[in-house]
Amino acid sequence: MSMDGMEVPKLAHILCLDMVGAFALHGFDNLIIVHHQSSKTSLVFDIGLEEVPKGGCISHPLFKTSLSCSDSLKAKVSYEFKLYSPSWVMFQPNFITDASIGVFASISLDPVEVENSVEDKYQFLRFLYNRCIPKSVFLENLRHYVVANKLKLKQLAHIFNSFAKAIAKRSLPILSHNDSGVKYVLIAELYEEIIIEQEDIVGNLFLLPDVYTLDQKQRFLQYMLRYLTALLENKLEVQPYFLNEILVSTMITMGQLERLHQLLLYRIIPDSKQLAFQLLSHEAKYFPLVQLALDMLSRLGTATEEIVEVLIARNLVVEAIRFLENSQSADKMNGLKLIESAWKENRVIRYAVFSYFLERGSKIRNCITNSEQFEEFLKKFEVLFDDEEIEAARRDLQFMNISRNKM
């Protein structure tokens, strides 16, 4: 029924009992319980588990069980308490009265004990996720089945997607309804969906013990990638800890470097400074990680100084200056630091870099041409090449320009 009382109720589900005779209904903990009197059985329906075709509405019971009298009730009633008695009257959500003996009782269902009644462990986990139980109980069962490899990859991906959808749904605005004109409103029992955060999954599933075999780690790596996909498909920001400390570290440890390369290249793994520096620390294992890290820092747009530091550390001072020029950040460069780095290279690079700063002069940060250190480098610069070498270089350059023009 709609909250405004104007919308016509529509048929949503048909409960398939496959039996005839007197029955009664209870609805609690997001479940529908159908009690069948003649067979003395109770059919448990969780319509949230149904995966029926579009337009279909037939629901089948998840499992069948029979009511039993609790020890506390037996202790309070001195005479026989007949189950599924014809004198029972059912009240919502989960109450039973037996007028013949004057008993008013309630029924309950322990979701964890349902495990023995449901063979399909994937269905059991989905059933458990729909119940109002402590998060720790669900996570304990999830970890048990994942570690025991009782779930298919596709099934676990569906579970991860449910977690991500719940987080995304929580961030949506709550719509308010004006029910001032409604005389009668059916208020359902309050149901709060379990919210499984990223730290819950990482802490319970993805902190892999050292005793795990290579095959186990490979399997859990697949789980991590499926979880990452679920987060991205639901437009959720992935926590850096999961990416940097768990996923990327696991891939590097297992030697999945080419696969990591593809994930980074196609932006499956989001950019971050921390991740970029982590990639740089593993360049000895896979050199392309350096370029991937530099590209990542460049896309972030807030790591100009870090990129220059990386290039200088790898004796790429000319590339560092070229990057600063291309990014229009030349006015932010530390000239003396670049000159010092250039002086570790050959004479040609020293001459080219120092000439660059001579031409720019006061445009360089801190006006390095007025410093004592610059004067010292200037003296060294003046003796890098003698006049004959400089003149020969100019003739070669002029010849190259003439040849290029003729072509």
Side-chain angles (χ1 to χ4, degrees), residues 154-211:
K154 184 178 180 180
Q155 293 174 336
L156 193 57
H158 186 278
I159 292 175
F160 286 157
N161 196 47
S162 299
F163 298 161
K165 282 183 177 179
I167 298 175
K169 181 180 177 182
R170 182 181 57 181
S171 62
L172 296 176
I174 300 176
L175 300 178
S176 59
H177 299 272
N178 183 9
D179 57 357
S180 57
V182 180
K183 294 182 179 180
Y184 304 101
V185 177
L186 293 177
I187 301 177
E189 181 183 2
L190 182 63
Y191 168 72
E192 293 184 3
E193 195 171 25
I194 301 176
I195 303 297
I196 307 296
E197 305 284 0
Q198 293 185 46
E199 55 265 28
D200 297 322
I201 294 298
V202 172
N204 286 273
L205 292 184
F206 296 155
L207 296 179
L208 307 183
D210 294 334
V211 296

Side-chain angles (χ1 to χ4, degrees), residues 304-305 307-313 315-325 329-345 349-354 356-357 360 364-365 368 374 377:
T304 300
E305 293 186 7
I307 293 175
V308 172
E309 290 290 341
V310 170
L311 293 172
I312 289 177
N315 300 321
L316 299 173
V317 62
V318 175
E319 286 77 1
I321 295 174
R322 186 179 294 119
F323 166 76
L324 288 167
E325 288 283 357
S329 304
D331 57 326
K332 299 179 181 179
M333 68 176 66
N334 189 328
L336 284 175
K337 190 169 188 178
L338 290 167
I339 292 174
E340 288 175 358
S341 178
W343 234 256
K344 300 175 184 178
E345 305 298 322
I349 293 179
R350 295 179 198 174
Y351 190 90
V353 171
F354 199 85
Y356 170 84
F357 286 105
R360 292 189 63 85
I364 304 301
R365 186 174 66 180
I368 63 170
F374 186 84
F377 281 114

Side-chain angles (χ1 to χ4, degrees), residues 52-113:
V52 296
K54 189 175 182 180
C57 55
I58 298 178
S59 298
H60 298 273
L62 179 63
F63 64 94
K64 296 180 181 180
T65 186
S66 294
L67 296 176
S68 61
C69 188
S70 66
D71 294 336
S72 60
L73 183 58
K74 289 179 181 179
K76 294 177 181 178
V77 179
S78 58
Y79 33 79
E80 183 182 3
F81 184 70
K82 292 183 179 180
L83 299 175
Y84 298 93
S85 170
S87 59
W88 277 10
V89 179
M90 306 293 190
F91 295 95
Q92 296 301 327
N94 62 332
F95 298 109
I96 297 174
T97 61
D98 191 333
S100 64
I101 57 176
V103 171
F104 184 83
S106 64
I107 67 170
S108 62
L109 176 69
D110 185 349
V112 178
E113 292 184 357

Side-chain angles (χ1 to χ4, degrees), residues 251-362:
M251 297 187 76
I252 292 174
T253 301
M254 297 184 61
Q256 298 279 332
L257 298 174
E258 292 185 0
R259 190 175 190 180
L260 176 61
H261 189 155
Q262 294 298 315
L263 294 176
L264 294 168
L265 189 63
Y266 293 103
R267 315 276 185 88
I268 304 300
I269 297 179
D271 297 339
S272 73
K273 275 189 180 182
Q274 183 181 353
L275 176 57
F277 290 126
Q278 184 182 4
L279 296 176
L280 290 171
S281 67
H282 294 286
E283 65 173 299
K285 298 178 182 177
Y286 190 68
F287 188 73
L289 291 178
V290 176
Q291 189 59 50
L292 290 169
L294 291 174
D295 292 342
M296 186 178 294
L297 291 172
S298 179
R299 287 193 297 269
L300 289 171
T302 58
T304 300
E305 293 186 7
E306 288 87 347
I307 293 175
V308 172
E309 290 290 341
V310 170
L311 293 172
I312 289 177
R314 285 154 181 78
N315 300 321
L316 299 173
V317 62
V318 175
E319 286 77 1
I321 295 174
R322 186 179 294 119
F323 166 76
L324 288 167
E325 288 283 357
N326 293 337
S327 61
Q328 298 180 347
S329 304
D331 57 326
K332 299 179 181 179
M333 68 176 66
N334 189 328
L336 284 175
K337 190 169 188 178
L338 290 167
I339 292 174
E340 288 175 358
S341 178
W343 234 256
K344 300 175 184 178
E345 305 298 322
N346 58 48
R347 289 193 306 164
V348 175
I349 293 179
R350 295 179 198 174
Y351 190 90
V353 171
F354 199 85
S355 298
Y356 170 84
F357 286 105
L358 277 178
E359 292 175 3
R360 292 189 63 85
S362 60

